Amino acid sequence: MANTLQGKKIAILATDGFEQSELIKPRQALQDAGAQTQVVSPKDGKIKGWSMKQWGEEVPVDVALKSADPASFDALLLPGGVMNPDQLRMIPEAVSFVKHFFSAGKPVAAICHGPWMLVETDAVRGRTVTSWPSLKTDIKNAGGNWVDKEVVHDNQVVTSRKPDDIPAFNREMIALFGQAGGAHLKKTA
């Protein structure tokens, strides 16, 4: 899959408590496919990961959410972890950032608890998605069709359930993101 995503710029929206494997492994797969990735966060400096049952490693923040322009990205990755999306969905700027990708028709990939942001932005209505099982009722109540599968691709969205699904998630995410236009290359007036 080398260079499949050459010239693509991918935002990874996260904050403290992201599930470490769900940010690190997909990010590496995106970079291995030629994409430029940038961690966007409401926090400055670094954010701390969660590794299964304990705190994990820190990841540098590339772009502060307050200065991030969603129009400059081709696609969005939403890693899970319980704390990460639960905090992000309470930040209006984060919700607005995610909404941009849907209103612009850009692809989004969300894993584990990451689909909480899709619920918050009203992006699951009418879609089939998967997630960590505890989000099933939230997704159904938001008008989505929840299924228990390792990966689901519905229109511009790819979702997966958990870290064990990362290989399938990465494969489908890269295929979807490869179809995205070069938003960051377009000049704006």
Side-chain angles (χ1 to χ4, degrees):
M1 288 202 225
N3 297 323
T4 305
L5 300 179
Q6 193 67 40
K8 306 286 185 188
K9 188 175 173 187
I10 314 299
I12 303 171
L13 181 62
T15 193
D16 287 330
F18 64 87
E19 181 62 46
Q20 190 161 310
S21 63
E22 296 170 359
L23 188 153
I24 302 296
K25 290 179 180 180
R27 183 182 200 183
Q28 189 60 57
L30 290 167
Q31 291 173 339
D32 289 348
Q36 175 192 357
T37 63
Q38 291 192 318
V39 173
V40 176
S41 180
K43 287 194 69 184
D44 292 326
K46 294 181 179 183
I47 53 176
K48 194 164 190 80
W50 185 258
S51 185
M52 303 303 262
K53 296 184 182 205
Q54 62 190 7
W55 286 106
E57 299 173 21
E58 290 183 324
V59 171
V61 172
D62 299 306
V63 182
L65 177 61
K66 63 185 173 219
S67 61
D69 178 9
S72 70
F73 294 98
D74 298 301
L76 174 65
L77 167 61
L78 296 169
V82 178
M83 292 176 269
N84 169 51
D86 195 43
Q87 291 177 65
L88 289 172
R89 66 188 180 147
M90 299 303 294
I91 301 170
E93 296 82 7
V95 175
S96 178
F97 187 82
V98 174
K99 279 184 176 182
H100 165 84
F101 287 86
F102 287 99
S103 64
K106 295 179 184 179
V108 175
I111 187 168
C112 195
H113 286 80
W116 254 343
M117 286 300 286
L118 307 184
V119 169
E120 195 64 35
T121 61
D122 197 31
V124 297
R125 186 172 311 283
R127 287 186 202 279
T128 297
V129 297
T130 194
S131 67
W132 187 255
S134 65
L135 274 64
K136 177 181 179 178
T137 301
D138 293 345
I139 289 167
K140 285 183 170 187
N141 287 341
N145 176 36
W146 186 88
V147 294
D148 185 11
K149 291 185 176 180
E150 72 175 352
V151 66
V152 174
H153 178 177
D154 185 332
N155 244 340
Q156 75 194 75
V157 180
V158 167
T159 52
S160 280
R161 303 170 299 189
K162 57 190 174 186
D164 290 346
D165 298 337
I166 290 174
F169 179 70
N170 286 349
R171 180 187 69 242
E172 292 299 318
M173 173 182 62
I174 289 169
L176 176 63
F177 288 5
Q179 299 168 10
H184 70 285
L185 301 175
K186 296 175 185 168
K187 293 192 176 199
T188 55

